[in-house]
Amino acid sequence: MRELAHHIRLSARSFLRQPVFTVVAVLALALGIGASVAIFTVFHAVLLRPLPFHEPDRLVSVWEKNPERGWYQAQVAAANYLDWRASARSFTDMAAYNDWLDEKVLLIEGKPSVVNASEVTGSFFDLLGIAPAIGRGFDDSHTWATDEAAVLLTHGFWQRELGGDETAIGRTIRLDDKDHRILGVMPRGFAYPFADADVWVPVAWDPENRDQVWFRRAHGMRVLGRLQDAVSLEAAESELAAIASRLGVEYPETNRLMGTGITPLQKWIVGDTSLPLHILMTAVGLLLLIACANVANMMLARGAGREHEIRIKSALGGGRTRLLFEGLGESLVLAGFSGTLGLALGILAIRPLLALSPEALPRMEEIGVDPTVVLFAAGVTLASALLCGSLPSWRGASAALVSGARGATRARRTNRATAFLVGAEVALTLPLVVGAGLMARTLWHLTDVDPGFVTDNVLVARVSLPGDRYRDDARVAAFYRQLIEAVGDTAGADSAALSSRLPFGNPRWSSDFTTEGWPTDRYGIGVRHDEVTPGLFRTLGVPLLHGRDFDLSDDFGAPPVVIINQALADKYFAAEDPLGKRVCFDRTPDEGSVWRTIVGVVGNVRREALSVEEEPSFYAPVLQDTTRAIHVLVRAHRGPLALVESVRETVHAIDPVVPLFDITTLEAVVTDSMARERFLLSLLAAAAALALALQSIGIFGVVLYSTTRRVREIGIRMALGARGASVVGLVVGRGMRPVLAGIAGGILAAVFAVRALSSFLFEVEPLDFATFASVVTVVLTAGLAACAIPARWATRGEASSALRAE
């Protein structure tokens, strides 16, 4: 170790005497290490670190499935959850939460704002093993409605709105025009199940709902369970399947073919995030290997120029082991500088990386540098030192044993080693560039999709009506009628409308339906629903194909009506005219069913995603089917954001306690819908660009080194009459051999690697010929350019000068 430390000191001095080599090598490695550290920091926090709950390995997510409806990992009906909890013996307990955030209006000193409330059952926090930092939590009694509303606060909300006042416990805050008693404040950083939650409130179900059909029909809960210590996942699944089968017999109308499933909670939380993170981790791993190959080539070339020095050291008593230690010391110094810089770059890159993320990553609050990340950086640095330095050190140590004719053989072996490393760089680069190319084509295809509506100049915002203030549906409808009329008259507005959901926004609810006159065995399954006001289709530019639009007379006092989209008409009314037919949203109508008349057919709108064809959908007038939270859409003459203050003043003029929030444009909504693809493309493109740059630098350096060693040969060729073009062709031809070999290997690697991207691609196959051909052309062109520059330099001098160089 003392010997190695001595050589490290000598190596540091040596690198300081070669600043250009040192800076290029350190930067190349630091970029690879920094990218690896940044992605690993996220990868570790999201995928590897145990959940911050009590015995997290025993926690599971329980879900429903139904092959007839195409459901898998679906939300759970509240009544089914209650039956599971009462009957299942494989769990110590179960808890549930609503699978969405409820927007509640907070009133402080008469000023309204919106807070995100997560609704949970009373045993939710006990199940996780998380206790409030201050105060107390919910208990089972809070699952059911009581005379007093309760609330738990996140640490951030407590600090922001209440100034961190510990005496706030036991006081009330006004949410949705109703007083809620503050029971406690949860620990700092805790925000499960939603990272952007501000408060938790109990689900507070009415006990009378327990036996209602809709309580078992509405699927909106997510269920957690804690397995008994001696119970396996398989045994718990088997028990739940038996309970589900029994419920299917007892409640055939709602539970027909309804099954269950269980997923470990950590895997459930990670969800769809796992694959992109694995792809990015692989990408930066390839980038680091390319950087290591590049630096190893630079060190081989540097070592070849120091063979005379190495022989002198050997003659003065330097043994092979000592020379090997010297080479490893150099690579450790180089990697040490690179690792330090790379760790700093990786830490700096974390925040921009999270900002690029298409949506809040799971466990985002836990992402940060910890001892594991530092150990990873140290391990990557040591691995880089070995990868960069092993071959150059071994060849440098063996140089002392080589002389005479064997020197030529050694030179050829060195050339083969550098050529192999160049080929490896090219082979590692090609999958990265292919992946970036496929994502670029996907994004291009997505931007070319017609969503079925016009996005230009449409302002989008939301309003949320306080629940206690607007319990009466008639009052909700009256507010919306006033709002749509007033906003439509705003200066600069062409038209205005309201919609319960935006394209690519929160999921729409679904139901079965039947039509008057259909036989009992004929019905529609899983049709989607939206509640809208008159003028929505005109505001969005959606064509009315048949019939009429809604008007303001379609309210509580009028017969219920609906409009269907073309997809529903094609699927269920292909051989008949749907106008005038009466439908109800039940598979089997009864005396409580509401019959609605189809009055129009509109064009299809891609509301789930640009890559997903529209499903059969119903539109109902929001004045007949009210909802407390709604989107306001205003088509402007130009510059929709200029209307924000006018719309806000209009809302407050109708009711000053109703806030306007989530303000954006429809164009931004469409752009954000492609955020996942943009995120992957951005990072893959950055990795591919760095890989191409490193590959080109590596090829350039190897060809330049090879050309420099062949100055005498080139001089003789030119003295004998060889033209510059033929010399260039000779140099480029030899330089391109490893490039072509690397392309062949890279194509094979890409064929297997890009399959991981298949779920992210749209209208492009993983083995798309045009993408592969374009990438090969780009890599080939970069290789030719890197070879041609030093080849041209070699022909610029006079033949006599080239001969005297020896």
Side-chain angles (χ1 to χ4, degrees), residues 618-632:
F618 283 109
Y619 295 92
V622 77
L623 301 183
Q624 291 182 346
D625 291 277
T626 59
T627 176
R628 288 194 305 103
I630 203 144
H631 296 273
V632 183

Side-chain angles (χ1 to χ4, degrees), residues 18 27 32 94 100 104-105 165 290 325 371 402 435 443 623 633 790:
Q18 296 177 301
L27 281 178
M94 283 184 169
W100 61 84
K104 293 185 179 294
V105 178
D165 182 7
I290 293 167
F325 267 111
V402 179
L443 198 59
L623 301 183
L633 297 95

Side-chain angles (χ1 to χ4, degrees), residues 420-485:
F420 170 79
L421 290 174
V422 165
E425 286 186 59
V426 175
L428 293 170
T429 297
L430 205 128
L432 289 177
V433 185
V434 168
L438 290 172
M439 290 307 303
R441 292 205 65 192
T442 288
L443 198 59
W444 182 77
H445 284 305
L446 284 173
T447 56
D448 201 41
V449 169
D450 178 10
F453 56 89
V454 181
T455 63
D456 299 341
N457 294 324
V458 177
L459 175 71
V460 176
R462 295 194 72 188
V463 294
S464 182
L465 307 183
D468 264 34
R469 193 181 185 92
Y470 287 89
R471 283 189 179 277
D472 184 357
D473 287 342
R475 187 171 183 183
V476 174
F479 177 91
Y480 288 156
R481 180 190 291 270
Q482 288 180 288
L483 178 62
I484 197 61
E485 291 177 337

Side-chain angles (χ1 to χ4, degrees), residues 235-255:
E237 284 183 324
S238 178
E239 183 187 24
L240 278 178
I243 296 172
S245 178
R246 173 173 58 80
L247 294 177
V249 174
E250 293 178 8
Y251 307 100
E253 182 180 351
T254 57
N255 284 51

